[in-house]
Amino acid sequence: MDHAALDLSLDASALTARLVDFPSVSGDEKALADAVEQALRTLPHLTVDRYGNNVVARTNLGRAERVVLAGHLDTVPIADNVPSRLDDDGYLWGCGTSDMKSGVAVQLRIAATVPEPNRDLTFVFYDNEEVAAHLNGLGHVAEAHPDWLAGDFAVLLEPSSGQVEGGCQGTLRVLLHTQGERAHSARSWMGSNAIHTAAPILARLAAYEPRRPVIDGLEYREGLNAVRIEGGVAGNVIPDACTVTVNFRYAPDRSEAEALAHVREVFADCGVSELVVDDHSAAALPGLSHPAAVAFMEAVGGTAMPKFGWTDVSRFSALGVPAVNYGPGDPLLAHKRDERVLASLVDDCAERLRGWLTA
Amino acid sequence: MDHAALDLSLDASALTARLVDFPSVSGDEKALADAVEQALRTLPHLTVDRYGNNVVARTNLGRAERVVLAGHLDTVPIADNVPSRLDDDGYLWGCGTSDMKSGVAVQLRIAATVPEPNRDLTFVFYDNEEVAAHLNGLGHVAEAHPDWLAGDFAVLLEPSSGQVEGGCQGTLRVLLHTQGERAHSARSWMGSNAIHTAAPILARLAAYEPRRPVIDGLEYREGLNAVRIEGGVAGNVIPDACTVTVNFRYAPDRSEAEALAHVREVFADCGVSELVVDDHSAAALPGLSHPAAVAFMEAVGGTAMPKFGWTDVSRFSALGVPAVNYGPGDPLLAHKRDERVLASLVDDCAERLRGWLTA
C-alpha cells in the first residue's frame, strides 16, 4: 500500500479508512506524521510547525477567538484488525476507527475544507497518547512550545459518540501505610497486628459519601476507593506492615492541593503511619460558559456530559485553555479487537464542526 | 571424622557434641539413624524396631506404666556452625545443640544407663521434623505402627530450657473471601468494592477479645489474627475480590470442630462470601493430672507452662497419649546461627529424668 500521500479531498469517513490502513502504533508514528505534515503543507491558508512526531498547523486570520482541534496519531497495538473494512450496515471496522483516526480524519477534513473559518484555528496532531504519560506528545509540545497550543477553547476529538464531554475529573492515588510489630502468631500478644490497625481505614472508606457537585451545569461524581490492599509475612507471623492503596477521583472544583488535603483529612485519625502520594493528575474545568464553548454547544447540539476519566483535556486546562472531548468514535469500543465506528457519524461530526466554524 | 559408632558411655553433654558433629539435616538422616539403631542394638534390655529412618526401642519389663521419650534426629540446614565447640563458659555451640541433639543425647543416655526403669520405656527417634508436616517421621510411625508409640505418658525432648511445657494450642487457618464487582475507578458507582466489603472483618478482628482459659492448672492464651490480606486488580480498577487469611490459635479445651464453629460464628455477619479452611492442626491437652505426669513433675521440678506453639505432642495426644515438652535446649536459639546449649543443663536434664525413672 502506498502511504506516501493523504488525499484530503475524500470525505471524513473515507479518510478514516485510509488512516486506519496506515498503521501508527504508539512509538511508530513517524510515517503518518510525515504524511500529515506533507498534506497540510499543501494548504496555503495554514502555517505548519513540527516538533518530533507532533504536527501543529494554524490559520492566522486575526480573528477575535482561536479554537484548537486536537487529536493523537497513535493507536494501541493492532489485533488482526487492519486493514479496515466497511460492512453493509455502514460500520467501518479496524484498529483506531474509534480511538481516534475518525477524529483525526475530521480534523484533516476541517483543515482542508474551511480555509476561512470564523475563528482562527489550530490543528494539533500528536504521538504516544496510548502509552506512559511522560511520552505523551501533547505534553512535550506543551513544554517546548506552549504558544503553539494557545487558544480560547479546545476540542479534543477523542471518542465520545458525538456527545460533548466537559472537563475531566482529577485522579489522586495515595498509599496508606500502617505499622505493627512482628511476632509468632502463637504468641500474638508479643506483637502488634498492622492489618488490624488498618480496620479504621477500611471502615472510613466503606462509610464515605462521595459528592456530586454541579459545575457549569454538569453533575460530576467523585469516588474514594481502595484499589489494592497488601499485608502479611507468613502464615504464622503477626504482620508488621499493611498498605492500602486509595484512588480519589475528584470533581474539577477541587485543586490538586485541595484534593490531597481532603484525603489527608478523611484518614486523619485512622491509624495511618505514613501517607505517600503515588500519582496525581489534576482535574480540568469544563469551561462551557466561554462564548466559544456556548456557540460550539449550540452548533453540535445535544447535552454536555461530565467526563469522569482523566484525559488530555486536562493538559489544555493546565495551559489555561478550557477544553472538551467531542469525537465520532465510541469510547466503549476503544482498544477492542472489534473496534468500529459508524461512518455516517464521522461525516456528521465533521459537518457539525464545519457549521460551527463557518456560521 | 568416623561416624561409624556412637559411644553411649559418654555423658549427655559430651554425647551432644558427638551428635552435632554427625550432620543430619532433614532428608539426610540415614547415617545417624543407622548409628543410633546400631548403638541401641548393643543394649540387651531393649528391643529395637525400625521404619524408614525412624528407630523405636522398648523395654519389656511388664511394668504398670509405660513412658515414651521422643525426639527428632534432623536439624535445619547447617549455617557454618558445625563442628561443635565448647566455650569457656560451658556453652556448647553448633547446629542442633538446642534443637534437639541435646534432647536426643539425653534419650540415648537414659537408654544406656537405666536398664531397669520403674516404668517401661519407649524411645522414639524420628526424621523430618523440621520440614513439611506430611514428611514427619513420627507421623509416619503413628500411621504404620501406632502400637510402637503406645504409652501412658510421653515426654518430647524438644528445647524448653528445662521447663515443662504442657499440651499445645491448636492452630486453624482460614481464608475469608469477599466479593465485589469490577468497574473503572473513575466510575466506581458502576461496581462494588470487595476491599471495602472486608471492613467489618478487620473491625471484628481488631475488637476480638481472646480467652485465657486455665486447663490442668496452666493458663493458655488464644489469639485470632489476620496473617495476610490481599485484594486489588490495578490502580484504576474497583477490585472484585479480597481475601483475609486468619490464624486462630486456640486452647486445648476446644476440639477442632468447636474451633472452626467459633471462627464461623465470629465472622458470621461480616460480609464473607466464602470461608475456606486452609490448614488445621488440633490442640493437645496437657494431661498433667495423670499419675505418671504428676510423678514426672515432682521429679523434674519447676512449674509447668502452657505450650502456645503447635508441636508433635499433638501427635501423641491424637493417639491418646498425654504428652509434654521437656528438654535442655533453648527454644529461642533454635534455628539460629549462634545456636548453643548450656552443657551442664543437658547433664542436669538427664539426671532428673533418671531420678524419675529409678525412684
Side-chain angles (χ1 to χ4, degrees):
Chain A
M1 195 173 300
D2 177 17
H3 288 153
L6 288 174
D7 179 358
L8 301 190
S9 72
L10 294 170
D11 60 23
S13 57
L15 189 52
T16 302
R18 298 291 167 92
L19 291 169
V20 171
D21 297 344
F22 200 135
S24 58
V25 174
S26 306
D28 207 16
E29 300 94 336
K30 183 176 182 303
L32 182 55
D34 289 347
V36 166
E37 180 186 359
Q38 185 185 329
L40 293 172
R41 285 201 189 277
T42 66
L43 302 171
H45 62 286
L46 296 177
T47 60
V48 179
D49 289 298
R50 179 155 175 167
Y51 180 67
N53 289 326
N54 308 292
V55 180
V56 178
R58 285 175 285 183
T59 64
N60 296 285
L61 304 166
R63 304 292 193 236
E65 291 178 349
R66 175 174 291 278
V67 162
V68 183
L69 301 181
H72 60 85
L73 295 173
D74 61 321
T75 68
V76 294
I78 291 165
D80 287 329
N81 52 0
V82 165
S84 62
R85 66 178 175 86
L86 186 68
D87 72 14
D88 293 341
D89 297 323
Y91 280 94
L92 180 69
W93 298 66
C95 181
T97 45
S98 263
D99 187 11
M100 59 169 282
K101 289 188 167 173
S102 50
V104 171
V106 169
Q107 288 177 272
L108 290 171
R109 192 64 186 145
I110 297 293
T113 62
V114 187
E116 295 205 349
N118 52 17
R119 297 165 174 89
D120 266 313
L121 295 180
T122 301
F123 300 92
V124 181
F125 303 88
Y126 60 101
D127 68 352
N128 281 320
E129 192 272 347
E130 299 289 6
V131 287
H134 72 277
L135 298 172
N136 186 298
L138 186 62
H140 293 179
V141 175
E143 202 163 307
H145 301 286
D147 53 305
W148 293 3
L149 303 179
D152 299 289
F153 182 60
V155 177
L156 205 59
L157 285 100
E158 285 274 9
S160 71
S161 294
Q163 299 294 310
V164 177
E165 294 175 335
C168 76
Q169 296 205 139
T171 177
L172 165 63
R173 202 164 55 225
V174 298
L175 309 179
L176 305 178
H177 296 295
T178 63
Q179 219 167 18
E181 197 187 334
R182 286 192 197 189
H184 195 291
S185 66
R187 296 171 181 271
S188 51
W189 60 93
M190 305 286 285
S192 158
N193 194 316
I195 296 176
H196 297 193
T197 303
I201 297 173
L202 296 201
R204 193 62 52 90
L205 283 164
Y208 186 81
E209 299 266 5
R211 290 190 318 146
R212 296 169 73 157
V214 174
I215 304 161
D216 265 6
L218 306 186
E219 186 189 61
Y220 287 84
R221 297 185 68 161
E222 298 192 328
L224 185 70
N225 275 277
V227 290
R228 182 168 298 281
I229 187 165
E230 293 184 278
V233 176
N236 59 356
V237 176
I238 302 301
D240 57 350
C242 180
T243 300
V244 186
T245 305
V246 170
N247 184 206
F248 183 37
R249 297 283 176 153
Y250 59 93
D253 59 345
R254 297 193 202 257
S255 70
E256 282 183 87
E258 286 164 350
L260 178 55
H262 176 67
V263 168
R264 284 194 193 279
E265 194 190 321
V266 166
F267 298 107
D269 55 350
C270 290
V272 174
S273 65
E274 198 188 357
L275 183 154
V276 177
V277 175
D278 188 39
D279 190 51
H280 201 169
S281 297
L285 282 163
L288 292 177
S289 52
H290 190 279
V294 171
F296 169 75
M297 285 304 302
E298 272 168 19
V300 303
T303 308
M305 302 285 291
K307 185 71 179 173
F308 298 115
W310 195 88
T311 79
D312 275 336
V313 301
S314 185
R315 295 187 196 273
F316 282 104
S317 184
L319 292 168
V321 185
V324 298
N325 283 305
Y326 172 72
D330 181 339
L332 301 179
L333 296 173
H335 304 190
K336 295 202 168 178
R337 188 177 290 268
D338 60 351
E339 186 176 351
R340 57 193 182 275
V341 70
L342 191 58
S344 60
L345 191 55
V346 183
D347 295 323
D348 182 59
C349 178
E351 284 316 302
R352 286 174 193 265
L353 285 181
R354 192 199 322 274
W356 170 48
L357 297 169
T358 57
Chain B
M1 193 173 302
D2 178 16
H3 288 153
L6 288 174
D7 180 359
L8 301 190
S9 72
L10 295 169
D11 60 22
S13 57
L15 189 52
T16 301
R18 299 293 167 92
L19 290 169
V20 171
D21 298 344
F22 200 137
S24 57
V25 174
S26 305
D28 207 17
E29 300 95 335
K30 184 176 182 305
L32 182 55
D34 289 348
V36 166
E37 180 185 1
Q38 184 185 328
L40 293 172
R41 285 200 188 279
T42 65
L43 302 170
H45 61 286
L46 295 175
T47 60
V48 179
D49 289 298
R50 177 154 175 169
Y51 180 69
N53 288 327
N54 307 292
V55 181
V56 178
R58 284 175 286 184
T59 64
N60 294 285
L61 302 166
R63 303 291 194 237
E65 291 178 345
R66 174 173 292 278
V67 161
V68 182
L69 301 180
H72 61 84
L73 295 173
D74 62 320
T75 68
V76 294
I78 291 165
D80 287 328
N81 52 0
V82 165
S84 62
R85 66 179 176 87
L86 188 67
D87 73 14
D88 293 343
D89 297 322
Y91 280 93
L92 180 69
W93 298 65
C95 180
T97 44
S98 265
D99 186 13
M100 59 170 283
K101 288 187 167 174
S102 51
V104 170
V106 169
Q107 287 177 272
L108 290 170
R109 191 65 184 143
I110 298 294
T113 62
V114 187
E116 295 205 347
N118 53 16
R119 296 165 176 88
D120 267 313
L121 295 178
T122 300
F123 301 92
V124 181
F125 304 88
Y126 61 99
D127 68 352
N128 282 320
E129 193 273 346
E130 299 289 7
V131 286
H134 72 278
L135 298 172
N136 185 296
L138 186 62
H140 293 178
V141 174
E143 202 163 305
H145 301 285
D147 53 306
W148 293 3
L149 303 179
D152 299 288
F153 182 59
V155 178
L156 204 60
L157 285 100
E158 285 275 8
S160 72
S161 293
Q163 299 295 309
V164 177
E165 295 176 334
C168 76
Q169 295 204 141
T171 177
L172 165 64
R173 201 164 56 225
V174 298
L175 309 179
L176 304 179
H177 296 295
T178 62
Q179 219 167 19
E181 198 187 333
R182 287 192 197 187
H184 195 290
S185 67
R187 295 170 182 271
S188 51
W189 60 92
M190 304 286 284
S192 158
N193 195 315
I195 296 176
H196 297 194
T197 303
I201 297 173
L202 296 200
R204 193 62 53 89
L205 283 164
Y208 186 81
E209 299 267 3
R211 291 191 315 147
R212 296 170 72 156
V214 175
I215 303 162
D216 265 8
L218 306 186
E219 186 188 64
Y220 287 83
R221 296 186 70 161
E222 298 191 329
L224 184 70
N225 275 278
V227 291
R228 182 169 297 282
I229 187 165
E230 292 183 277
V233 177
N236 60 356
V237 177
I238 302 303
D240 58 348
C242 181
T243 301
V244 186
T245 305
V246 169
N247 185 206
F248 182 39
R249 298 282 177 154
Y250 59 93
D253 60 345
R254 294 194 205 257
S255 69
E256 285 183 84
E258 286 164 354
L260 179 55
H262 177 66
V263 169
R264 284 193 192 281
E265 195 189 321
V266 167
F267 298 107
D269 54 350
C270 290
V272 174
S273 65
E274 197 187 359
L275 182 155
V276 177
V277 175
D278 189 40
D279 190 47
H280 202 170
S281 298
L285 284 162
L288 292 177
S289 52
H290 188 280
V294 172
F296 169 76
M297 284 303 303
E298 274 169 18
V300 302
T303 307
M305 301 287 290
K307 184 71 180 174
F308 298 115
W310 195 87
T311 78
D312 275 336
V313 302
S314 184
R315 295 186 196 273
F316 282 106
S317 183
L319 293 167
V321 185
V324 298
N325 283 305
Y326 173 72
D330 182 340
L332 300 179
L333 296 173
H335 304 188
K336 295 203 166 176
R337 191 176 287 267
D338 60 350
E339 186 175 351
R340 56 194 183 274
V341 71
L342 192 57
S344 61
L345 190 55
V346 182
D347 295 324
D348 182 59
C349 178
E351 285 316 303
R352 286 175 191 265
L353 285 181
R354 194 202 318 281
W356 170 46
L357 296 169
T358 57

